[in-house]
């Protein structure tokens, strides 16, 4: 145990055969070995590629999730006139979206690999490869956080919310991502994270609803740092928002 705690659990690709990769790719062995004279060079490049998080599952937005956000706002436009119910509307968006996001992470082999690399890359030998993987992960995270921050900024702006003084959307996205990933990592050993529901009204909605743990966690983090903007909402502003949401270019 002392040796494991000192060295850490390791990341490895020993279960993947270089010869099987060549065969399945359908390319000439001579061409492969010209590019990677040693299989360790290939696996080093593979680790760096995995660290980019460039899989479509990781690197692109979820159009279904955006449609769900739009519909949730349209269903609760009457909440916008009350500043506190605007926060409740943000909570409702997160209540419905968080479980979908959690399941996307939890059920995706690509996401599992990407998250595993975050937690184990320090087990790589100290040197250029570990530094490159670390830097690539950092760059990937900046890109992912930027996309989440932009989504939060767009949606909160639509419903009249803003970050509290000193808080940026990038900070909000980083904390939200960390919360969701923590739940994803814990869920295999604690399945209740995925299945438990709590019938409650923790964020001031007119009626209680069924909340998942991912929904509660994400909404608690995000709403801590959001406040209503002072601009009032009237029927004309709500009608303008409805028209925007029903257009093709709302996001």
């Amino acid at each position: 145990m002392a040796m494991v705690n000192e060295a850490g659990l390791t990341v490895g690709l020993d279960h993947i055969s270089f010869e099987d990769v060549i065969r399945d790719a359908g390319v000439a062995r001579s061409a492969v070995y010209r590019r990677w004279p040693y299989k360790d060079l290939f696996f080093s490049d593979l680790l760096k590629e995995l660290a980019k998080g460039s899989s479509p599952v990781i690197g692109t937005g979820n159009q279904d999730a955006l449609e769900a956000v739009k519909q949730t706002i349209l269903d609760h436009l009457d909440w916008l006139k009350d500043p506190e119910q605007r926060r409740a509307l943000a909570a409702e968006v997160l209540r419905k979206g968080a479980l979908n996001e959690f399941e996307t992470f939890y059920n995706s082999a690509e996401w599992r690999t990407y998250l595993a690399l975050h937690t184990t890359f320090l087990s790589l030998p100290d040197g250029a490869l570990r530094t490159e993987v670390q830097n690539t992960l950092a760059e990937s995270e900046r890109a992912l956080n930027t996309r989440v921050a932009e989504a939060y900024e767009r949606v909160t702006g639509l419903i009249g919310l803003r970050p509290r003084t000193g808080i940026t959307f990038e900070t909000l996205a980083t904390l939200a991502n960390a919360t969701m990933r923590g739940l994803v990592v814990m869920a295999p050993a604690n399945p209740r994270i995925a299945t438990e529901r709590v019938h409650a009204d923790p964020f001031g909605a007119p009626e209680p609803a069924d909340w998942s743990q991912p929904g509660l966690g994400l909404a608690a983090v995000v709403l801590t740092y959001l406040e209503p903007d002072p601009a009032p909402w009237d029927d004309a502003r709500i009608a303008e928002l409805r028209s925007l949401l029903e257009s093709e270019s709302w996001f």
Side-chain angles (χ1 to χ4, degrees):
M1 287 178 64
M3 293 173 70
V4 169
N5 289 334
E6 180 179 353
L9 294 175
T10 61
V11 58
L13 298 169
D14 295 339
H15 59 294
I16 297 176
S17 162
F18 192 35
E19 293 298 323
D20 288 348
V21 171
I22 296 171
R23 183 198 65 225
D24 291 352
V27 295
R29 292 180 76 257
S30 58
V32 173
Y33 278 99
R34 276 196 301 272
R35 181 163 181 177
W36 296 287
Y38 306 100
K39 68 177 183 179
D40 288 349
L41 296 176
F42 171 81
F43 286 123
S44 294
D45 281 353
L46 177 56
L47 278 177
K48 287 182 280 187
E49 194 67 24
L50 292 169
K52 292 179 182 179
S54 55
S55 162
V57 175
I58 298 172
T60 59
N62 186 331
Q63 190 60 40
D64 289 341
L66 292 177
E67 288 300 312
V69 168
K70 179 176 75 172
Q71 192 59 52
T72 300
I73 298 174
L74 284 170
D75 289 344
H76 299 89
L77 289 173
D78 56 313
W79 292 11
L80 293 172
K81 292 184 178 180
D82 183 329
E84 286 307 310
Q85 286 196 13
R86 277 183 254 152
R87 294 182 77 252
L89 177 52
E92 183 67 7
V93 169
L94 293 167
R95 181 182 77 86
K96 293 183 174 180
L99 189 59
N100 177 272
E101 183 179 352
F102 172 86
E103 289 173 346
T104 296
F105 284 151
Y106 188 70
N107 295 322
S108 164
E110 292 90 343
W111 270 111
R112 288 198 301 271
T113 298
Y114 182 73
L115 296 181
L117 190 54
H118 273 270
T119 59
T120 56
F121 81 90
L122 286 176
S123 67
L124 295 168
D126 192 13
L129 175 59
R130 189 168 81 177
T131 299
E132 287 185 62
V133 170
Q134 182 176 24
N135 291 340
T136 302
L137 286 170
E139 185 176 342
S140 300
E141 285 301 290
R142 281 192 293 271
L144 288 167
N145 281 333
T146 295
R147 286 199 298 275
V148 173
E150 289 172 349
Y152 280 2
E153 184 171 10
R154 177 61 173 158
V155 173
T156 56
L158 287 174
I159 63 177
L161 296 174
R162 65 186 183 185
R164 297 185 186 277
T165 302
I167 301 298
T168 66
F169 282 106
E170 286 74 17
T171 297
L172 197 56
T174 299
L175 294 173
N177 279 334
T179 300
M180 182 61 69
R181 292 178 189 196
L183 291 167
V184 169
V185 169
M186 293 170 61
N190 183 4
R192 289 181 61 189
I193 290 173
T195 60
E196 186 176 70
R197 300 292 181 270
V198 178
H199 194 67
D201 179 17
F203 303 105
E207 299 290 340
D210 290 335
W211 284 83
S212 66
Q213 288 193 27
L216 284 170
L218 201 59
V221 169
V222 173
L223 291 179
T224 295
Y225 301 106
L226 292 178
E227 63 183 7
D229 69 36
W233 283 80
D234 56 20
D235 291 339
R237 186 177 177 187
I238 291 174
E240 183 180 351
L241 176 59
R242 180 190 296 277
S243 177
L244 175 62
L245 290 172
E246 290 176 345
S247 72
E248 295 294 328
S249 58
W250 75 275
F251 192 84

